[in-house]
Amino acid sequence: DGRTDVYALGAILYEFLTLLPPVETAGGHRAVLARVIRGEIIPPARRTPHRSIPAEVSAIALKALACEKTARYPTAEALRTDVERYLEGRSV
């Protein structure tokens, strides 16, 4: 369903924030896929301690990248709504 698209948008947001992919890429394609399946997403702030990443934006990216589909945003529109809330200074 559309939550696959939400995951892809979360990966793009994560890379915008960190300039790194959401999972470690060492070990080849099988290792990367195994990390994705296990949901081994390192929080953006831990990947880039030299950059200040707002906790709310990190939370948005991590929710979009949730391993379980039911834990992700149900639609890209819902993801957009939280991004807009953050940009407007409202609680996410």
Side-chain angles (χ1 to χ4, degrees):
D1 65 9
R3 292 175 199 196
T4 302
D5 295 335
V6 169
Y7 188 94
L9 290 169
I12 292 167
L13 175 59
Y14 189 102
E15 286 204 37
F16 279 157
L17 295 171
T18 65
L19 303 177
L20 297 165
V23 295
E24 292 290 335
T25 58
H29 295 332
R30 287 181 190 255
V32 171
L33 288 174
R35 287 184 195 102
V36 169
I37 290 168
R38 290 190 303 262
E40 293 180 8
I41 309 296
I42 300 168
R46 282 199 10 225
R47 294 287 299 275
T48 56
H50 57 284
R51 303 178 100 189
S52 178
I53 297 173
E56 297 91 343
V57 178
S58 180
I60 291 169
L62 291 174
K63 182 173 180 174
L65 289 166
C67 187
E68 295 295 324
K69 288 169 81 170
T70 57
R72 282 183 219 148
Y73 290 99
T75 63
E77 177 69 25
L79 170 62
R80 182 181 77 123
T81 298
D82 266 1
V83 171
E84 287 177 343
R85 281 186 185 136
Y86 171 76
L87 292 173
E88 293 168 354
R90 297 177 14 211
S91 179
V92 175

